[in-house]
Amino acid sequence: MSLEERLEKIRASKLQNQRETAIVLSAVEDTLRDEKHSQSPTAYFAALLALLGQAIVPSHGTINKDLASSVVYLLDLVVPHVPAALLRSKFPQILTSLAPAFTNQDAEAPLLRSSIGCLESLLVAQDAAAWAQPQNLISPRRAMAGLLTLASDQRPKVRKRAQEAITQVLKNPPPSPSLDHPAADMCAETALKTASDVLAVSSVKQRGGRDAAQKQHRPGLLHALQLVKTIASASGGWPSKKIEPLCEFLMVVSRSNNEYLAMGAFDVFEIMFTGMADQFSSSKLPRLMDAISELKPSQNDSQLLPPWLAVISRGYDVSAQISPKETFHKLPLLFGTVSESLSSASHNIRISASECLVSFLVNCIPDSVVAEPSIFDEKILGKLAQTAEDLLSVRYQAAWMEVFHIQAALLEVLKWRAYPLARNIVNTIGELRASDSFNGKKEADAVLGKAIQSMGPQAVLEILPLNLARSKTGQPGRAWLLPLLRDNVINTNLAHFRSEFVPLSEVMYQRVIDHGESEKTVEIKIFETIVHQTWALFPGYCNLPLDLVTAFDQGFAELLSNLLYSQPDLRSNICRGLQTLVESNQEILAVEAGEQEIRFRNRMTKADVQTNLDYLAQFAGNLLAVLFNVYSQTLPQHRGYILQCINGYLSITPEKQLLETFTRVTDMLGSSLHEIPSQPSSEEQQHQQQQPPKEPASDQMPPTSHTLMDLIITLSIYLPLQTFPHLLTLTSRILSLNQDPQLQKKAYKLISRLATSANGALALKTRNQDLQALLLSSAPTASAPARRDRLLAIATTIEHLPQADFHFIPSVLSEVVIATKEVNEKARTAAFDLLVLMGWKMNAGGTIEQAKILHMDASAPTVGASLEEFCTMVSAGLGGGTPHMVSASITSLTRILYEFHARLRRSVIEEFVSTIDLFLTSNNREIVRSCLGFTKVAITALPKEIVEPRLQTLVPGLLGWSKEHKSRFRAKVKHIFERMVRRFGVEVVGRYATEDGKKLIHNIVKTKERKKRKKSVAATAAGDEVDEDEQAKRKKRFQSEYEEAIYGSEDDDESNASRSSDDDAPPTKSSKRGKAAKGGKGTYIIEDPDEPLDLLSANALTHISTSKPVLFKPRGKTKAKTDVDGKLVFGTKDGGAGEDAEVDAMEMDEPGDDTTLEGGINAYVEAIRGRDAVQRGR
């Protein structure tokens, strides 16, 4: 912001605290105009400097507070814009004038902050000669001393402003050959002396006790640390000459029990290291690290050694960033020094030492050393490995768990260079892991896992052979290595799997076959497990193998194909391995990292990866044929992994082979379609409907046409454009067959699937008219199970619909509107989403040729697409001949109104509200239920000025259904009135209500007030967390804002109460008829109020009861009974006054209870059918 903008803000300000400043500014400007001076920064500076002498008189030490605050505030704004030469010449005068403000004890914080700002600008403008003047003169050093004093002031704003000024001064040194600011040494010395004095005072025992002294001086020590942190951040770490005393002070502070002090000390170290990370200040880092190294505490100092280790690990991390080679050369000495701490008896020291060593390994070994090490680098790596190996000696046994973490980090950093450097480490840990008495198997497994990732499985198995196929005496078997190999094999040689594990699998499988058909022994089961564990390694070996071109040949592909046919149990691992072969290489191609980084991490380049994919493409055709056959032989619940594998190889198959595969599959599908039985006659359909539904067998193979259609859906996104006419023809043929709903579903899924690929989306655009004709012609034969997928296919078509073909929307609109009343929830959701999509499409604009709409006159005009036109189309359904159509139209309008009410014209919305108002008087419950949903959305979402005039007719119409229990109309109406009262007020709503309606409104108000009182009591007792929890629960109840608007209620407790009251209804008529017909104990049907009982359902019998069902009510809290002395009373029948109205929470058995056989039977029936019984399926 420029100076003029800042001054203009003061002139235009209406704040009380800036009124005096505005007056002073006006006076200064009037003076400049009278003397015909330009209003430049220099002129302002001269005028304000003259006023400063009147406001502050240095000789008398008097201050005119009001005038001084305004003048200094304006000076703070002006001084940064004044030439530096003028500031240097006026420095003594300004410092002398401002001195009383700094020294006066009554100076207020605003005056001090402005004075500090002036001083900051003055000090930044000084040159090296001015900074060379001694502190006892009126010089910049003397001003800096004043800022340092204010930087420890008790007032937070003054302290913060002074520290900001010191930071700016130190960050802007005058031109000189020195790295540091001329005042940096003085600042560092002063800050360190202040902090040391405060620390000394806080450590002295006074009369108040040691804790009281520390508590009294702790804020001062925190402020002193903050000042040290400020200087460290501003001066490039810390002045070089003052590093040693600072480190000593910080190490003392870091051992404090106060976590804030310890954190403050570490923050200073962090700031120093960060400041020295740049090239300019990096020369200070060696001296700092030497100073920290010399301060190493005692080996058993559990307070000081952990923070020292943390500081030194961070320091060498920064050192490795600045000079990686030099730091790496120091690593063996550092590693040996720190590893000595692992022999300490303190657990904290061992943990800190292990973390420090892990930090050294991760940060101080450059990637270049691992990728291309010199002879000297190899020697250093050998020393590190030897030191890590020595940590497994008995001396460090107490720290073995920490040592394992260090060795895991070493193996991870060394990558493939870990072999043979870490051979002995792996051997020792493997022997420990094999011991039954060893307790650290989890940690040892982690180290061996890193060894498998880094060295590779071949190197690890050389050190620790499995000894399974040909075990030798004295050599234990290591089957426990197989799960470790499965989880950690990656980026290795596939040939090793062929040479090591394929023969092992054959040997074990042959032993299983030799056993024959007799009962399996434990040994045979172990052999089968080893076979499965062996092939579980295959996906890991296929994850970016280094020798794919040489190891994956025709013979190996044939072996895998035979196994896919012959051993179904191995199909999952083989398919995942084949899929990983493709996807792991494709992932490398998609990575945007540099070529050198990719080569270092994977030992491959993108060119190598592309060669691998081209090589695999040669096998794609034959592998796909095998996978297709295996897919057709596999049960549907086990096909997922095969389909994923097929997807992988389709992505690399050449176009010619794709076309050949597509032709073969479509020909087979065409042949299988002839085998579909013809549509049954009406008598056969009626007979089938009377039969109970059959559950599909889980072990039954689906028809061939289903399997082939799955393969075509998978193929579709990889096909070229010329195949799409054939696809549409095939889809049209399938959609005309309504004998097989599942096949129809797959055909509709094919249309949605096409939109997920670039070629498919292009085909949907270019052949959109053919797709429209296909969907319109297939509407009469669409089956109910395929409804959702058909709606998704229509949505896909509309997404790619040209603006000239908007006549398709009204052609399918009636079908979409009816679908909003579907029983299937997913179909309803798809219908609502499609309505919204249609609305947005119409809102974007286009043309509707009404002559092309089905059943429309050929002379119908062409109209423009708009949101209002779309609403008119939907509202046409309000004149439908069936209540179902009218209800669906109202529901659709409700969803459209909620989504687009901000974009619709007011006249259209008012017309909707008035129309639905008329339908509230209908006698059809289905229509009224939809009207209630519309009314609720209108009340909650529409502007007040639209809804309030309609309350005169809405309120009586709603009250007409307020006493209706069925379909929960009463609860719904009550919820609507809750929202209405909350939005429009009791008086407005009550103005149009009848007498009974006013009672309902009065009840709502009382319930709301009661709930508020309960909430306030709960909030007082438990804090604000109660409301937050309730809001979180409320948000979880609904999937969208529209659902909350339709089904949500202001008062959930009241909603539950109304539900329980609505549910408290007498048994159904069917239950009474059953009892009367038998003349004795009857049979009852337990019905859900929302859903009628489906007698054809498989679980219909669970709703039949021979005893009268007891409806559940929410159990309320009861007040405990006490006698006159306040003691609890149990099991009394006769209480005092008012006790008969309360239910005893604990009913005790008494001698008078019914102990007959009939009473026992009744008790049993009550236990299984009563209030406390557990009900299945409800």
Side-chain angles (χ1 to χ4, degrees), residues 153 342 353 546 923:
D153 195 90
L342 291 171
L546 301 173
N923 293 326

Side-chain angles (χ1 to χ4, degrees), residues 415-416 419 426 448-466 481-482 484-501 537-538 540-547 603:
K415 296 187 179 297
W416 64 92
Y419 186 81
V426 174
L448 293 175
K450 293 296 182 184
I452 293 168
Q453 293 177 14
S454 303
M455 296 180 175
Q458 185 172 359
V460 173
L461 292 180
E462 276 186 30
I463 303 168
L464 302 171
L466 289 174
L481 269 175
L482 292 174
L484 284 178
L485 289 166
R486 177 197 64 203
D487 296 337
N488 295 285
V489 170
I490 185 175
N491 195 210
T492 187
N493 294 318
L494 183 59
H496 180 252
F497 180 82
R498 294 187 61 182
S499 62
E500 178 77 18
F501 290 103
L537 307 180
F538 183 61
Y541 276 93
C542 292
N543 194 339
L544 209 64
L546 301 173
D547 57 347
R603 288 187 283 175

